[in-house]
């Protein structure tokens, strides 16, 4: 069984795992914030430092596991899956059209695949849950933003240009909040951690994290409860549109915000039931991820082996 490395480049930490079959056999976690690195350096210097940091981590792992054949990276942002070029990413502000696949492959002498982080998580969820193997699967990641990935007939579905399932930018309120994409009322303005913080700040004029707001909601704070209910309603509105288009029956919800699912589920269920067409009501199964945030890293590793990656 071949070994591969999966890497998750998150907002404030960098995780790397050696993966065998669907199991992590070695996990490394480092505190690193590429966003700050990009904001405090010119683009060329920032990019060199990022490649240095990630390649050093991989080369250390390759010392211990030289039989690793490929490396997969789950990365938030707009990524061309055919070339590995990152067109734009919230973790790399100011950097545009950088080729993470090619530049890393040149350093580590292994194939490198860069995939959208939500699509990598979708593939990981699909591989880790045998019950879902005969069905299509839609993954929705609720984190700082909202990401999506679709597994169709066992394969990742990327669309014509590689940007399918940008669920976070479905417009759920045409007169709503301004989004980073330039539109108003995108789903991630409400159903992400930052969206919940905004909802609470608007009603209480107080800037708290989504986790702090969840604690307040559990203590009975009505504005906190409503911030999470709005997240649930918005998510259901977006999901109903997707289901009407692709008629997917299995949906997995992951990401850090999914831990607060009990605060969203009642509003979500009612809105989804209302928005779906009658023939689909009650026929969509929604699961909360049980992989403890490891689906993305495992999915990226497995995709690097199964897809033809850059050498
Ligand atoms: Zn948007």
């Amino acid at each position: 069984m071949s070994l591969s490395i999966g890497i998750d480049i998150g907002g404030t930490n960098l995780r790397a795992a050696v993966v065998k079959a669907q199991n992590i056999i070695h996990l490394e976690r480092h505190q690193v914030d590429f966003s700050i690195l990009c904001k405090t350096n010119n683009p060329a210097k920032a990019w060199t430092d990022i490649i240095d940091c990630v390649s050093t981590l991989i080369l250390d792992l390759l010392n211990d596991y030289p039989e690793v054949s490929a490396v997969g990276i789950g990365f938030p942002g707009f990524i061309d899956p055919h070339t590995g070029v990152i067109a734009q990413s919230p973790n790399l502000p100011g950097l545009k059209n950088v080729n993470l696949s090619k530049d890393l492959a040149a350093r580590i002498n292994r194939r490198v695949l860069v995939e959208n982080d939500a699509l990598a998580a979708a593939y990981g969820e699909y591989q880790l849950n045998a019950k879902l193997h005969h069905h299509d699967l839609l993954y929705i990641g609720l984190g700082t933003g909202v990401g999506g990935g679709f597994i169709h007939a066992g394969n990742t579905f990327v669309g014509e240009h590689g940007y399918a399932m940008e669920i976070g930018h479905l417009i759920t309120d045409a007169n709503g909040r301004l989004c980073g994409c330039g539109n108003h009322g995108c789903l991630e303005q409400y159903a992400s951690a930052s969206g919940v913080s905004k909802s609470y700040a608007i009603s209480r004029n107080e800037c708290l994290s989504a986790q702090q707001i969840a604690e307040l909601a559990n203590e009975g704070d009505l504005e906190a409860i409503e911030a999470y209910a709005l997240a649930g309603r918005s998510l259901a509105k977006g999901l109903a549109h997707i289901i009407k288009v692709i008629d997917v029956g299995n949906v997995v919800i992951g990401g850090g915000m999914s831990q607060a699912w009990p605060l969203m589920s009642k509003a979500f269920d009612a809105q989804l039931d209302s928005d779906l067409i009658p023939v689909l009501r009650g026929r969509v199964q929604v699961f909360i991820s049980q992989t403890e945030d490891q689906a993305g890293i495992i999915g990226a590793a497995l995709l690097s082996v199964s897809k033809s990656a850059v050498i």
Side-chain angles (χ1 to χ4, degrees), residues 7-304:
I7 294 185
D8 173 59
I9 300 180
T12 55
N13 67 66
L14 175 63
R15 293 184 303 154
V18 179
V19 173
K20 185 177 187 179
Q22 283 98 3
N23 302 306
I24 290 178
I25 59 173
H26 182 111
L27 179 66
E28 297 260 343
R29 192 188 295 263
H30 298 271
Q31 292 278 319
V32 54
D33 191 332
F34 288 154
S35 172
I36 286 183
L37 189 70
C38 290
K39 284 176 189 162
T40 53
N41 288 282
N42 69 57
K45 168 84 167 72
W47 186 238
T48 303
D49 286 355
I50 289 165
I51 294 295
D52 282 349
C53 175
V54 180
S55 60
T56 300
L57 176 61
I58 296 170
L59 287 168
D60 282 349
L61 286 171
L62 290 175
N63 259 338
D64 295 334
Y65 301 93
E67 63 272 47
V68 163
S69 61
V71 174
I73 300 178
F75 201 81
F78 297 111
I79 295 147
D80 183 331
H82 310 297
T83 61
V85 169
I86 297 169
Q88 201 181 343
S89 168
N91 281 4
L92 306 177
L95 287 184
K96 285 200 166 108
N97 298 321
V98 288
N99 196 323
L100 187 55
S101 293
K102 202 171 155 196
D103 292 354
L104 262 186
R107 296 278 192 99
I108 65 170
N109 197 29
R110 296 291 191 288
R111 297 183 301 151
V112 177
L113 178 90
V114 181
E115 196 68 81
N116 176 275
D117 58 345
L119 189 57
Y123 194 69
E125 292 286 352
Y126 178 80
Q127 290 293 339
L128 290 168
N129 195 334
K131 272 194 302 190
L132 302 176
H133 280 186
H134 300 292
H135 304 278
D136 287 350
L137 180 150
L138 177 71
Y139 172 85
I140 303 177
L142 306 180
T144 311
V146 174
F150 184 43
I151 306 299
H152 174 57
N155 296 308
T156 54
F157 180 86
V158 297
E160 180 71 25
H161 306 97
Y163 304 121
M165 298 300 147
E166 282 295 338
I167 291 170
H169 300 286
L170 282 172
I171 294 170
T172 56
D173 179 357
N175 300 310
R177 299 170 193 165
L178 179 63
C179 179
C181 75
N183 279 320
H184 283 266
C186 291
L187 174 58
E188 74 176 22
Q189 293 302 313
Y190 307 92
S192 64
S194 55
V196 166
S197 291
K198 276 180 201 164
S199 299
Y200 192 78
I202 288 167
S203 59
R204 274 288 174 91
N205 202 21
E206 195 176 356
C207 287
L208 299 178
S209 70
Q211 199 171 349
Q212 289 171 316
I213 297 164
E215 285 161 16
L216 288 172
N218 285 322
E219 289 164 10
D221 181 307
L222 292 179
E223 273 79 12
I225 290 169
E226 175 50 27
Y228 272 97
L230 176 59
R233 283 197 301 277
S234 303
L235 183 60
K237 282 183 188 176
L239 180 58
H241 288 310
I242 300 167
I243 291 169
K244 285 176 205 171
V245 176
I246 61 173
D247 186 11
V248 62
N250 290 292
V251 178
V252 176
I253 296 177
M257 273 263 294
S258 65
Q259 289 168 13
W261 185 247
L263 295 170
M264 291 181 266
S265 63
K266 200 172 162 195
F268 171 90
D269 289 344
Q271 189 73 48
L272 187 65
D273 202 48
S274 159
D275 284 12
L276 281 178
I277 52 175
V279 287
L280 289 175
R281 282 180 194 146
R283 300 176 76 181
V284 178
Q285 294 203 72
V286 176
F287 305 94
I288 303 306
S289 172
Q290 304 295 320
T291 66
E292 294 175 352
D293 213 18
Q294 295 194 336
I297 210 164
I298 292 172
L302 296 177
L303 281 170
S304 74

